[in-house]
Amino acid sequence: MRSLLVAGGGGHLEELWLLRSRLVGISSEVTWATPDTPQSRSLLGHEDRISVVDCQPRDVRATLATTRHALKIVRPDRWDQVVSTGSLVAVPFLTVARARGIPCHYIESAARVVGPSLSAQILERVPGVHRYRQSPEWHRDGWSYRGSVFDGFETTRAKSRPLRHVVVTVGTNRYGFRRLVDSVLRALPSHVEVTWQTGATDLSGLGIRAIPTLSARATFEAMQRADVVVCHAGVGSAVTAMRAGKFPILVPRRRAHGEHVDDHQEQIAAMLDRMGLAFWVEPDQLDTEVLVRAAQRAVIRSDEAPPFILHDDGRHSPTPALH
């Protein structure tokens, strides 16, 4: 018997991958259900994986395809439980699993600071799904708080050095983020080297060398070498920068500019700024002074993060996940 760990691409997979070693209540062996991307191949290595459709926000066709896939593979004789950090892919998998009597756990993204996402609100209507929030800032019936991916991080002073190398990443979703790229170009001194990860962003007329998608390992290693990381305010990008020891500059995407389906990135940028783990800036606020100030700080993991204890419904004996 195994646990099925379900996550969409980008930050959702990054969060579940980070939480996995802290989960108490899952089987010791797991299979991942996630899109086949450079990120998933890099993060998961040789772990057992099932490739699923990369469901973008509110993509009805992809949701139907994922539902058909879930109906084929989610069976009570195969899985002890199903655990997901979302986003859209969680809905069909957990719904099918509950219909077939399999225990289910949904961990809301840490990006949802003030309330649940649309996927989470749908899953509130599915009986028997155990639900967990990663934000201590909102309370809602039926949701438990067990901690978050940000547990254990703190800021310290960085070793003083000149600004030479910056990593800029906009994540991997289908929306471009030209405003971020333009703002970095305006703020950068001419001598600074930049690693650009630009996703679907239109770069016409800019004359820069960019990579649409980097693997998780390549992104992490580039951030380790960098003096500063500037990124969209996605949880995956922010936590990767923090794990690499950097104090990230977070620039939230905006719905009004066609950069996302809503403005939840403002919430995560504001929260991490309040926690002293990042700078939250808008594109017109990014300048050389902000870059230098971020380079003067570092983020470290201060202690071992506490276990993330899942609800025990008595079907199996809870055991810590493999590290």
Side-chain angles (χ1 to χ4, degrees), residues 262-276:
D262 58 30
D263 290 330
H264 75 271
Q265 287 201 350
E266 178 184 359
Q267 300 167 16
I268 191 64
M271 184 184 76
L272 289 175
D273 191 286
R274 290 194 300 272
M275 294 172 67

Side-chain angles (χ1 to χ4, degrees), residues 15 75 136 155 168 217 233 238 254 305:
E15 290 184 58
R75 305 193 309 268
T155 301
V168 178
R217 176 176 294 180
R254 296 292 186 178

Side-chain angles (χ1 to χ4, degrees), residues 5-323:
L5 306 185
V6 179
H12 297 285
L13 175 59
E14 184 93 13
E15 290 184 58
L16 190 52
W17 179 76
L18 287 167
L19 290 172
R20 184 262 181 101
S21 64
R22 296 169 54 191
L23 295 178
V24 175
I26 70 170
S27 304
S28 58
E29 295 189 16
V30 304
T31 294
W32 295 81
T34 192
D36 182 26
T37 65
Q39 178 202 29
S40 63
R41 292 192 292 270
S42 177
L43 276 181
L44 303 181
H46 297 295
E47 292 198 65
D48 193 32
R49 280 185 293 142
I50 297 170
S51 180
V52 300
V53 175
D54 189 8
C55 295
Q56 295 295 326
R58 304 175 188 182
D59 186 337
V60 175
R61 181 175 298 180
T63 303
L64 292 174
T66 303
T67 302
R68 289 192 291 269
H69 199 174
L71 286 167
K72 292 179 181 178
I73 66 174
V74 179
R75 305 193 309 268
D77 61 342
R78 189 174 182 184
W79 311 111
D80 275 325
Q81 64 279 107
V82 181
V83 182
S84 181
T85 47
S87 172
L88 196 56
V89 69
V91 175
F93 269 88
L94 298 190
T95 301
V96 171
R98 285 306 303 140
R100 293 176 174 176
I102 304 172
C104 290
H105 305 272
Y106 178 77
I107 304 170
E108 179 62 295
S109 171
R112 298 297 174 170
V113 176
V114 299
S117 63
L118 177 60
S119 295
Q121 292 176 55
I122 294 171
L123 287 169
E124 284 181 323
R125 300 175 178 273
V126 179
V129 175
H130 302 299
R131 302 184 300 275
Y132 312 84
R133 54 188 171 88
Q134 292 189 67
S135 171
E137 298 190 14
W138 58 275
H139 301 272
R140 192 176 172 106
D141 289 345
W143 291 84
S144 303
Y145 180 74
R146 298 286 189 268
S148 84
V149 292
F150 302 123
D151 292 339
F153 287 107
E154 66 178 33
T155 301
T156 187
R157 199 119 184 109
K159 183 178 179 180
S160 179
R161 58 184 179 183
L163 191 63
R164 296 167 299 185
H165 181 205
V166 174
V167 169
V168 178
T169 175
V170 307
T172 58
N173 70 27
R174 65 184 178 186
Y175 301 95
F177 201 4
R178 176 70 177 250
R179 291 191 311 133
L180 172 57
V181 175
D182 288 340
S183 69
V184 174
L185 288 172
R186 288 193 301 268
L188 277 179
S190 59
H191 66 276
V192 176
E193 175 191 356
V194 184
T195 297
W196 298 94
Q197 183 273 309
T198 53
T201 304
D202 176 13
L203 303 176
S204 57
L206 296 182
I208 63 175
R209 297 180 61 183
I211 303 170
T213 304
L214 286 169
S215 70
R217 176 176 294 180
T219 300
F220 180 73
E221 291 176 350
M223 288 181 175
Q224 284 184 307
R225 295 191 300 269
D227 301 302
V228 178
V229 173
V230 183
C231 57
H232 77 145
V235 172
S237 297
V239 173
T240 300
M242 291 158 57
R243 288 196 302 111
K246 299 302 180 291
F247 185 91
I249 299 171
L250 302 179
V251 184
R253 295 171 176 269
R254 296 292 186 178
R255 179 182 180 181
H257 293 276
E259 297 159 350
H260 217 304
V261 297
D262 58 30
D263 290 330
H264 75 271
Q265 287 201 350
E266 178 184 359
Q267 300 167 16
I268 191 64
M271 184 184 76
L272 289 175
D273 191 286
R274 290 194 300 272
M275 294 172 67
L277 294 174
F279 284 147
W280 163 32
V281 302
E282 296 299 330
D284 60 357
Q285 298 171 325
L286 184 63
D287 56 24
T288 303
E289 180 184 352
V290 174
L291 294 170
V292 171
R293 287 172 56 209
Q296 294 171 344
R297 305 183 184 198
V299 174
I300 60 173
R301 199 68 176 266
S302 61
D303 52 30
E304 191 69 24
F308 195 108
I309 301 173
L310 300 177
H311 178 83
D312 177 21
D313 60 8
R315 175 168 170 167
H316 54 75
S317 298
T319 55
L322 292 178
H323 289 255

